[in-house]
Amino acid sequence: MVRVLFRAALLLASVQTVTVVTATTMTGAPAVKNINKAHYSESEVVDEAYDYIIAGGGLAGCVLADRLSADGTKKILVLEAGRPDYTDTIIRIPAGILRLFRSVYDWQHETCGEKACNGRNIFLQRGKVLGGSSCTNVCLHHRGTAQDYNDWNVPGWSAAEVLPYFMHSEGDQTGGNPEFHNKDGPWKNDDVRYQNPLSKRFLEVGANAGLGTNGDFNDWSRAQNGVGRFTVSEDNGERCSGATAFLSKAMKRRNVTVRTGAMVRRVNFDRTKTAASVTYDILGDDTCRPFFAVLRNGGEVIVSAGTIASPQILMCSGIGPADHLQELGIPVVADLPGVGENLQDHPAAVVSFRTKKKGVSVTSKLRLWGYTNPFPILQWFLFKTGLLTSTGCDHGAFVRTPAATTNQPDLQIRFLAARALMPDGMTTFIQFRNTKNLVSSLLFKHICI
């Protein structure tokens, strides 16, 4: 079993600090069937030199591989530890997340003994496949507000400066305001092709309660407040991931090489502390033979392995808090105490209610006499419509509570026409697939932002 431990901190809104995050694969990487063939295949990689080595083939890595290889002049290597099958049906179906959490497509991180959660560990799902967590998340597409970027006060990151990049990538299919949306980009966004009666009722009740309405949470010409339908990253009822939108194009180019099952262990530096190569090995190779991907002169290593793995790679490479690295016998390249620290998460409180009417919630409709209902599956395969096009939480609201310290919303509400089985939403998804009969219910997930 592959086990990676590293030191990190989760800073929650309650100012509770948690150290140690544990990442464990489900059953460990499967053994490589023909190790000699696998080693020979990697020799084709190490015999080349690259302008860019991208460590991590998640959403950011997919975008970078596409952009950097587009003109054909640069040689790109993408190293991804996860699986290659981003087009698997269970990933393409948005409701497939019920089978993705704690699966072979998930790194299955957990925090350790949260004081603010009665000592419970908090499950942190991270995608273990090309496309990363864009293949395993709930598809919601939120840019944030223009004020979010302006408040950072970072050169190059104002709302006016980042908007063109959002629009360049976006393929909006909702008919949104053209001042803030582009319909021709590769990253497809749409409204979910299903709406549960309880979700419709939620929008009515929220509006009547004075929360206001919002037809497009990514329209920066208006405030973010209100209830509405969340835009989702879907194309014709299928999940749109970083791999389908960006990497699939790049992989057709001669100047792009993509390796999966390749676990990056560290970035190697020369005497001038300039990145020179990357060390990686093959998951499932019991020999743990290291391979070295080398940069051309002036080349760059781009670490894009996600929130958890990127600081881990940096620290294994000697970049991080010097005292901690020295404790582990890692030579210090750069003493940067912030690496591996200050990871911020959004606390969420789940409130669930049972409905008087039976058979109305999504959790009820997915079951038929205690078994998987075949009719929603048939509807998705034939028409790409129906409840399988929904991840469940695509209706909600942004609200400014009395506790807000700015003029912006400080609470996001996600509404699900489903029954909560556990205190947190992600574990509920996992438990649902093992539960035969569920009563009709609805739940609200309150998320501090």
Side-chain angles (χ1 to χ4, degrees):
M1 180 176 288
V2 179
R3 182 178 291 271
V4 180
L5 297 176
F6 76 96
R7 184 170 175 265
L10 292 175
L11 181 62
L12 304 179
S14 57
V15 201
Q16 297 287 339
T17 302
V18 185
T19 59
V20 183
V21 172
T22 304
T24 309
T25 62
M26 186 175 183
T27 57
V32 178
K33 293 181 179 179
N34 189 328
I35 194 63
N36 291 327
K37 182 178 179 180
H39 287 175
Y40 178 78
S41 179
E42 294 310 314
S43 68
E44 299 175 0
V45 174
V46 301
D47 287 344
E48 298 284 345
Y50 300 89
D51 295 291
Y52 296 100
I53 299 175
I54 300 175
L59 177 54
C62 290
V63 174
L64 289 164
D66 179 35
R67 297 282 195 265
L68 294 173
S69 66
D71 67 3
T73 63
K74 303 296 182 182
K75 195 169 183 62
I76 315 296
L77 173 64
V78 179
L79 297 174
E80 165 58 39
R83 299 167 61 92
D85 47 342
Y86 63 89
T87 58
D88 191 90
T89 302
I90 202 65
I91 293 177
R92 291 165 49 215
I93 298 175
I97 56 169
L98 297 172
R99 299 284 179 182
L100 292 175
F101 295 167
R102 294 201 182 278
S103 74
V104 295
Y105 297 105
D106 183 7
W107 284 105
Q108 303 179 50
H109 298 293
E110 284 191 2
T111 63
C112 186
E114 298 281 352
K115 292 182 180 179
C117 298
N118 200 28
R120 290 186 297 111
N121 293 358
I122 302 300
F123 168 53
L124 298 175
Q125 178 277 329
R126 302 299 296 171
K128 190 182 179 183
V129 61
L130 284 175
S133 297
S134 70
C135 287
T136 58
N137 62 19
V138 294
C139 296
L140 302 189
H141 181 69
H142 292 307
R143 294 177 180 170
T145 68
Q147 187 175 332
D148 289 333
Y149 298 94
N150 292 333
D151 285 349
W152 289 351
N153 197 28
V154 176
W157 285 87
S158 69
E161 290 169 301
V162 301
L163 181 59
Y165 293 98
F166 280 125
M167 295 183 65
H168 179 71
S169 295
E170 184 184 33
D172 176 60
Q173 301 175 21
T174 67
N177 184 347
E179 183 180 353
F180 300 99
H181 293 289
N182 169 38
K183 61 181 179 10
D184 300 321
W187 186 255
K188 304 302 181 185
N189 294 302
D190 204 350
D191 291 324
V192 172
R193 297 182 170 191
Y194 170 78
Q195 192 174 36
N196 186 273
L198 292 175
S199 300
K200 292 181 180 180
R201 185 61 177 154
F202 163 76
L203 298 182
E204 296 171 3
V205 172
N208 292 336
L211 297 181
T213 60
N214 194 328
D216 181 2
F217 291 102
N218 295 313
D219 183 344
W220 285 354
S221 67
R222 54 149 297 157
Q224 193 182 37
N225 306 58
V227 297
R229 304 181 69 174
F230 294 146
T231 302
V232 293
S233 298
E234 293 184 18
D235 185 16
N236 190 32
E238 297 189 19
R239 175 188 295 273
C240 179
S241 72
T244 57
F246 300 101
L247 189 63
S248 59
K249 295 184 297 180
M251 291 173 69
K252 297 176 183 178
R253 300 170 184 148
R254 290 187 175 183
N255 58 325
V256 176
T257 301
V258 177
R259 311 302 291 184
T260 55
M263 175 69 88
V264 173
R265 298 301 180 180
R266 62 183 175 275
V267 180
N268 305 305
F269 298 88
D270 62 19
R271 294 180 179 178
T272 65
K273 296 186 177 181
T274 300
S277 65
V278 166
T279 300
Y280 72 98
D281 54 44
I282 305 171
L283 288 184
D285 177 7
D286 290 338
T287 70
C288 297
R289 175 180 169 178
F291 296 90
F292 301 91
V294 179
L295 287 172
R296 289 176 174 173
N297 289 335
E300 299 180 25
V301 174
I302 301 172
V303 179
S304 58
T307 305
I308 305 297
S310 286
Q312 179 212 1
I313 291 173
L314 291 174
M315 287 190 283
C316 288
S317 306
I319 300 173
D323 292 343
H324 180 57
L325 298 180
Q326 290 166 352
E327 288 175 3
L328 299 174
I330 300 174
V332 178
V333 174
D335 180 15
L336 294 178
V339 176
E341 300 289 340
N342 303 317
L343 174 63
Q344 298 184 35
D345 203 357
H346 300 283
V350 175
V351 181
S352 186
F353 299 90
R354 179 180 296 188
T355 62
K356 293 182 179 180
K357 187 176 179 179
K358 296 182 178 180
V360 66
S361 68
V362 171
T363 43
S364 300
K365 294 178 182 294
L366 285 174
R367 290 283 188 259
L368 185 64
W369 301 310
Y371 298 94
T372 300
N373 186 349
F375 295 106
I377 299 174
L378 187 63
Q379 184 178 4
W380 186 85
F381 274 103
L382 291 177
F383 308 109
K384 296 297 189 292
T385 59
L387 61 88
L388 292 192
T389 64
S390 172
T391 58
C393 56
D394 39 65
H395 287 63
F398 284 92
V399 179
R400 184 177 182 275
T401 71
T405 57
T406 69
N407 63 346
Q408 293 210 94
D410 59 335
L411 184 71
Q412 179 187 3
I413 300 174
R414 294 182 184 176
F415 177 84
L416 289 83
R419 180 177 178 81
L421 300 175
M422 297 292 289
D424 65 276
M426 298 184 77
T427 306
T428 284
F429 278 119
I430 299 167
Q431 292 297 323
F432 172 76
R433 67 187 183 218
N434 301 319
T435 306
K436 286 190 174 181
N437 295 296
L438 289 168
V439 297
S440 282
S441 306
L442 56 90
L443 69 89
F444 297 89
K445 189 175 183 182
H446 304 79
I447 304 172
C448 298
I449 57 176

